[in-house]
Amino acid sequence: MIFTIFKKELKDTLRDKRTLIMMLVIPVLIFPIILNVFVGISASFSEEAAKKTIKIGIVGNEDNYVVKHMEELPDEMGKKEITFYKDTLELIKAIELDSIQIGMYFVSDFKKYMAEKTPAPVSIYFNATDMGIKDRAELYMSTIEDIATQERYVAMNLKESELRPIETSYNNIASGKEMIGKLAGGILPYIFIAFGFIGCMYPAIDLFTGEKERGTIETLLTTPVLRWQILFGKMGVVVLSGLLAASCALLGLFISIEVLDIVDNEELLNIIHGILNFKFIIMLYALLIPLTVFFAGVMIPIAVYAKSFKEAQSIITPLNIVMVLPAMVGFFPGIELDGTTALIPVVNVVLATKELIAGTLDMGLLALSFAVMIGLAVVAVIVSYKRFDKETNIII
Amino acid sequence: MIEVSDLRKEFILSRQQRKELNTKDTKAVAVDGINFKCQPGRVFSLLGPNGAGKTTTLRMLSTIFKPTSGTINIAGIDAIADPQEARRKIGFLTGTTGLYARLTPDEVIKYFADLYEVSKSDFEERKDRLYTLLDMHDFKGKRIGKLSTGMKQKVSICRTMIHDPEVVVFDEPTSGLDVITAENIIKLIRDCKNDGKTVIFSSHIMSEVDLLCDDMAIIHKGKMLFDGTMDEFKGQMQAENLTAEFIRIVNASSQSKEAQL
């Protein structure tokens, strides 16, 4: 009987355009759009930054050591134009007007400092809101500094290796997978959770409040089906819708990578392929199922109580913030799954997914998170049943 | 057969409801100890003004609401002890019942047949008979949301009768319908009577009651004011027509209650 109700409700839900858009279309499109925008913006930004001709303003002598070497730097390091200014006031004003992007001030006795082999002071002016400018200035200056250092070694008849008593090498033992998992892995579960919630929302309102509003619930209650069977049949569709929305987001991710080839970095692709394996998907669903049941269990009593679609929506929409906001915890790299965070619903799912992506998941903590979510899902189902069984709640 | 004795329904009033109703009472009595019996092959009409307790009574008969006290027997089944079994015997139709707009009549009828666990052969035979009787073949595959009110009413009738119920409960079945559409319901009630089913329907339209019913009860503020046959009602009439007599009985009850207070 539960399956009969489930089948009918699923058919009804899949014929609702609004639900279909929220449940299938938007989740499928979200990853291709996000990745396209992200990759597009970062690629065009770095390309543009590299191509951009930077105007450099100088206060100092034209035969200055730095200026001379800067003019000799190849265009591959970024094109540049050099203009001379009288003083720093003019220089700063020009930066403010964007006539130049970098200003350099060399003291008048700069040559003397160089000749005496003492550190020659240079002041660099730039506007930090103009992205990439400081990087360009640092690139030019570090290159010129290296040239000067080499010249001094030669002039002083010194070996560079003798002046470097310790050679430290820093070796990162974290794999690329772990780095992505810990630093960016929070985004993936966040999107799944957000769509899991939205996917549940419309069917929950439609199948409970909608049925009340349309006056069909009364007929359904006069059939020999038990109320808990009706509840479970409908709840099954709500949960499935949430999972479908999350799955569509996952499908969108696959399409972005495998079909649209949005990510063209070979190393990153290999890491992503290593993450998105069969085991990962099974584990992800093991966490998402109780979470979605919990979402459904929270929404159904509201949908049963509400007298109209509008009323239900006005209560559930703010709930979205309360439920999905904790998922943002996953964005902070320092927060990890431990004995405490495993007890916090939603947060535990995000952190467990993050650890899963990084390949550092502790099975004991996963079991604890899973038990917490199952426990909450059971409580939510009981609350839903109590609400649905209350005769004054189901009839307008 | 429907047998109702000492049926009572109280609703707990929330603070909000007490404020709205301007009362300090924590409970509202919707139905107050009513008794009646509906026989197979006869049409029983439950009459009363708005808010009399008709819908609450019919909802208790169809087991949507659980009575506070009293007994209900539906076709030999104790509807309070075994509501699920009682529901198998009941067909329920109201004037305000909606249908699933995104499904087709075929899908809705099949859904309800499955919920009533109707066998495949019975389902096919009844569906075909009802579709022919109600002239539904032309629109059986169209989405209900695109059907006219009359067509929708036919689907509702078919849905009510697909499990061949012994008892049919109609709650103001013609409310909001035009004369042509209401005629389908009137025909259905007559057909049920002729098939030996027990029919109970609530109404406040005396002409409809006169046309259809064999037995009747008048209910007002949850209490029974009259219970007998239509002929007995007509025989003891003090007013010049049925509507005037109905109004007279209801007003007399209200005045006696006010006098008691």
Side-chain angles (χ1 to χ4, degrees), chain B residues 40-220:
Chain B
R42 290 179 75 83
V43 177
F44 185 97
S45 174
L46 196 60
L47 268 157
N50 289 338
K54 303 187 297 289
T55 297
T56 305
T57 304
L58 297 187
R59 281 178 176 170
M60 283 193 281
L61 293 185
S62 49
T63 76
I64 299 172
F65 284 168
K66 205 175 170 183
T68 308
S69 63
T71 61
I72 301 169
N73 193 298
I74 304 279
I77 294 157
D78 182 342
I80 297 163
D82 194 356
Q84 201 187 356
E85 204 47 43
R87 277 182 232 143
R88 289 184 196 282
K89 308 281 182 187
I90 302 172
F92 185 80
L93 183 73
T94 82
T96 53
T97 302
L99 286 163
Y100 302 105
R102 295 190 288 264
L103 300 188
T104 66
D106 264 350
E107 287 165 344
V108 167
I109 304 304
K110 177 78 176 87
Y111 177 50
F112 279 90
D114 288 344
L115 294 181
Y116 282 100
E117 293 175 301
V118 177
S119 71
K120 203 179 170 195
S121 58
D122 282 351
F123 167 67
E124 292 298 340
E125 183 270 315
R126 281 178 208 157
K127 188 178 93 166
D128 197 51
R129 185 167 49 82
L130 286 164
Y131 276 19
T132 307
L133 200 73
L134 296 163
D135 197 16
M136 283 176 61
H137 288 287
D138 287 348
F139 60 86
K140 63 183 180 184
K142 280 187 183 169
R143 295 259 177 110
I144 288 170
K146 291 183 177 161
L147 301 182
S148 67
T149 312
M151 287 170 175
K152 283 180 191 164
Q153 199 58 34
K154 286 178 180 181
V155 180
S156 289
I157 293 170
C158 190
R159 193 262 307 145
T160 310
M161 305 309 292
I162 195 69
H163 60 292
D164 193 22
E166 282 180 47
V167 171
V168 193
V169 179
F170 295 99
D171 185 15
E172 301 196 0
T174 56
S175 112
L177 300 180
D178 62 47
V179 192
I180 310 278
T181 318
E183 188 58 29
N184 288 325
I185 304 285
I186 291 173
K187 189 175 175 306
L188 170 72
I189 294 175
R190 283 204 178 116
D191 288 347
C192 288
K193 179 187 167 176
N194 295 337
D195 290 345
K197 296 183 191 303
T198 305
V199 180
I200 180 166
F201 84 97
S202 70
S203 180
H204 53 258
I205 307 165
M206 279 311 282
S207 57
E208 207 172 76
V209 174
D210 189 26
L211 193 71
L212 291 166
C213 82
D214 303 299
D215 305 305
M216 62 177 282
I218 295 176
I219 180 172
H220 180 49

Side-chain angles (χ1 to χ4, degrees), chain A residues 73-74 77 137-149:
Chain A
L73 290 176
M77 290 174 78
E138 279 175 347
L139 177 69
Y140 292 154
M141 288 311 294
S142 67
T143 310
I144 295 163
E145 265 179 56
D146 280 348
I147 296 167
T149 310

Side-chain angles (χ1 to χ4, degrees), chain A residues 292-307:
Chain A
T292 322
V293 174
F294 169 63
F295 282 162
V298 171
M299 286 179 207
I300 289 170
I302 297 167
V304 169
Y305 166 80
K307 287 185 174 61

Side-chain angles (χ1 to χ4, degrees), chain B residues 8-53:
Chain B
R8 185 178 169 86
K9 180 67 185 174
E10 291 171 356
F11 289 105
I12 308 280
L13 294 176
S14 64
R15 192 179 294 176
Q16 175 78 16
Q17 286 167 322
R18 287 204 294 272
K19 213 173 169 184
E20 280 166 12
L21 296 168
N22 195 23
T23 177
K24 284 179 180 170
D25 297 339
T26 52
K27 287 175 191 167
V29 181
V31 175
D32 193 3
I34 62 169
N35 300 279
F36 62 86
K37 196 184 269 187
C38 315
Q39 303 285 355
R42 290 179 75 83
V43 177
F44 185 97
S45 174
L46 196 60
L47 268 157
N50 289 338

